Amino acid sequence: MTESNNPLDRPYEKEIRKLFYEQQLTLVIVDDDPTGTQTAHDVPVLGHWTEQAFLDEFMNKTPLFFVLANTRSLTQREATARAREIGQNLRKAAEHTGRRFLVISRSDSTLRGYYPSEVEALSHGAGAGNLPTLLIPAFFEGGRITEDNVHYIVEKGEKIPVSETVFAQDKSFGYSNADLTKWVEEKTGGRIPQEAVKSLSISDIEQGEKAIFDRLDALGEDDVMVINNTTYRQLEKTCLALHRLIKKGKGFNFRTAASFVSAFSGMGPLAWHPQNRPSFSGLGGLIIVGSYVKKSTSQLEQLLKKQGIKAIPVAVEKIIAAESSNEAYLQELVKNIETCLTSGIHPVVYTSRNLISGDSPEESLAIGERVTGFLVNLVKNINIQPAFFIAKGGITSNDIAVKGLHMKKGMVLGQIIAGVPVWEMGEETRFPGMPYVVYPGNVGDAESLARVYDLFTANPTK
């Protein structure tokens, strides 16, 4: 029988799931923004990282949960401190409960984020010591693959090195190299030279599990290895070897994107449809678009062509220039949104599309924080529960959920389209039970956001 060419086929999923549960440990995914849930379902997502929160999950023997660290919104110093604190609280909770855990630093499939400082701080905080680090930025659902150590985005059948995309030009997390061995040297400031970075090639993987096992087992303390893969089948073969190595006592640090979480746990995606949930009859849904990347802007343009929508732009220049909290402007927007919701109209709130950046990465982050803070305050002041909520952009969706809706624990229901997760808001939130769509800035084609809107607003009787 010939092997499938479909990169999403999962031939070893059941075998891996069995191995995962036999480990009797908890897999903790520390997310630097909330989009790591892109390939998960029916698992908790925590909006805080106290020792008690981890104690509760370990006592319940939760097999897998996500922690919203949101470190990509912080300065490097703040992100490193937060990662260390999360690791320390995990270690303390594990010591109290006797529960084994394995931690994954989940980051962007287009390589934005704080590497290596965040990974090292998380590992040391968790008491893991010096371990080899595996780099696995695969996100097959979004066309992110690694081949011959080069990380690509596949769009319309064309492989584009990530260094040639807009993501590499990010004001806070830009980089020059798509070859991950060179990328490691770049990100470590030369501390780890390119020639020191190890590689598990696709040809290594195709040799079989013993070859993979031996290559991974030979890694020493502080080694870094790029894991190449273009399909789930290849990644699952690596995961089979990893499970056997971990059972033997071998430890690893992980810097990954979303596909590894799914492959390692043997958890396939789950399609979720709004018709599976009760609706809030007659009310409108709320869409907030904070992400300003080109893909988000093209998706917004298509969404605004839809019927039943009211466009509500938010002037970023006005937010940044205001010396006060701009309360009058905020209340005007709130009133506009609530009028739409009660009338069954779906307000689309979006930040103005021209990017305003600072003279340094820190200044750019501060501007982004002020804009996101305004959107959070907007949500805090809305007193009508929307029928649904779509938040576009990683940092935007994190802060709205945690700071605006006061989410401490949600549940990942599944994906409304590939790579776009839906959470159910917990009882402690301002809008309990509401479906909340976490729409990453860098996922989908121009029509994808409009398709998600159509799924929520289609009349099921038609």
Side-chain angles (χ1 to χ4, degrees), residues 40-42 269-279 387-388 390 412-418 420-424 433-437 450-462:
H41 65 89
D42 296 317
L270 179 69
W272 181 89
H273 197 283
Q275 291 179 8
N276 300 340
R277 310 293 293 180
S279 64
F388 60 87
I390 302 171
V412 183
L413 298 172
Q415 287 70 45
I416 190 164
I417 61 173
V420 179
V422 184
W423 301 346
E424 182 178 70
M434 181 185 66
Y436 183 76
V437 178
R451 280 202 299 276
V452 171
Y453 169 78
D454 285 344
L455 287 169
F456 274 108
T457 56
N459 188 338
T461 63
K462 290 184 179 179

Side-chain angles (χ1 to χ4, degrees), residues 223-288:
D223 274 345
V224 177
M225 176 177 270
V226 175
I227 307 295
N228 288 272
N229 38 65
T230 62
T231 67
Y232 264 116
R233 180 179 64 83
Q234 294 161 357
L235 183 53
E236 284 187 330
K237 284 185 175 182
T238 304
C239 289
L240 286 170
L242 277 170
H243 273 292
R244 294 186 170 114
L245 282 162
I246 290 166
K247 187 175 182 179
K248 189 184 98 165
K250 182 84 172 179
F252 300 94
N253 290 329
F254 297 93
R255 182 66 160 189
T256 85
S259 288
F260 177 74
V261 175
S262 180
F264 184 81
S265 62
M267 173 174 54
L270 179 69
W272 181 89
H273 197 283
Q275 291 179 8
N276 300 340
R277 310 293 293 180
S279 64
F280 295 88
S281 180
L283 290 175
L286 176 58
I287 302 106
I288 294 185

Side-chain angles (χ1 to χ4, degrees), residues 29-38 66 72 104-109 118 254-258 261:
I29 302 96
V30 179
D31 248 344
D32 72 351
D33 83 349
T35 60
T37 56
Q38 290 167 305
F66 289 82
R72 223 184 297 165
I104 291 173
S105 174
R106 201 293 312 180
S107 188
D108 181 43
S109 63
E118 188 170 32
F254 297 93
R255 182 66 160 189
T256 85
V261 175

Side-chain angles (χ1 to χ4, degrees), residues 81-150:
R82 182 171 295 181
R84 185 178 297 109
E85 180 186 358
I86 290 170
Q88 289 169 342
N89 286 346
L90 284 168
R91 177 176 50 80
K92 292 173 187 174
E95 288 170 352
H96 279 106
T97 60
R99 180 71 173 175
R100 292 173 58 225
F101 72 93
L102 182 66
V103 66
I104 291 173
S105 174
R106 201 293 312 180
S107 188
D108 181 43
S109 63
T110 59
L111 305 183
R112 296 168 299 170
Y114 290 116
Y115 173 85
S117 59
E118 188 170 32
V119 181
E120 293 168 350
L122 182 61
S123 176
H124 290 154
N130 297 324
L131 297 173
T133 297
L134 305 184
L135 294 179
I136 316 175
F139 176 45
F140 305 122
E141 290 82 354
R144 276 62 155 171
I145 64 171
T146 310
E147 192 171 16
D148 296 327
N149 294 333
V150 178

